[in-house]
């Protein structure tokens, strides 16, 4: 699983980093994105919905989100 560090990145930088990630374009590919901005959670959620990607979100520490993105397309 590839990890994308978006700590300190404001929108739209996290989405641009996700779009550049070749790993998520492959079936079964997965990415872990770490962010400290709530707007990233919203924008990645919208992006995943648009592109048919599975998204799981955890908040291991207050104000730090881990977004697990997986390509489950056939």
């Amino acid at each position: 699983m590839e990890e994308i560090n978006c700590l300190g990145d404001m929108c739209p930088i996290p989405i641009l980093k996700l779009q550049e990630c070749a790993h998520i374009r492959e079936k079964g590919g997965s990415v872990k994105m770490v962010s400290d901005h709530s707007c990233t959670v919203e924008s990645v959620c919208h992006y995943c919905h648009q592109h048919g990607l599975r998204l799981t979100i955890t908040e291991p520490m207050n104000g730090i989100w881990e977004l697990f993105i997986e390509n489950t397309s056939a």
Side-chain angles (χ1 to χ4, degrees):
M1 177 182 300
E2 187 172 335
E3 185 169 323
I4 302 173
N5 182 343
C6 293
L7 295 172
D9 292 343
M10 300 287 288
C11 292
I13 300 302
I15 294 296
L16 295 174
K17 287 183 176 182
L18 184 59
Q19 289 173 337
E20 291 176 359
C21 179
H23 198 77
I24 198 63
R25 290 187 221 128
E26 302 168 6
K27 182 180 188 311
S30 59
V31 174
K32 174 184 174 184
M33 178 181 284
V34 180
S35 178
D36 55 356
H37 289 281
S38 61
C39 66
T40 298
V41 175
E42 253 183 72
S43 61
V44 170
C45 184
H46 182 72
Y47 179 87
C48 289
H49 180 73
Q50 283 184 322
H51 293 88
L53 302 170
R54 179 183 296 156
L55 175 64
T56 305
I57 303 167
T58 62
E59 189 176 5
M61 293 186 303
N62 191 27
I64 303 291
W65 291 272
E66 293 179 338
L67 297 88
F68 297 91
I69 304 153
E70 184 179 1
N71 185 341
T72 58
S73 64

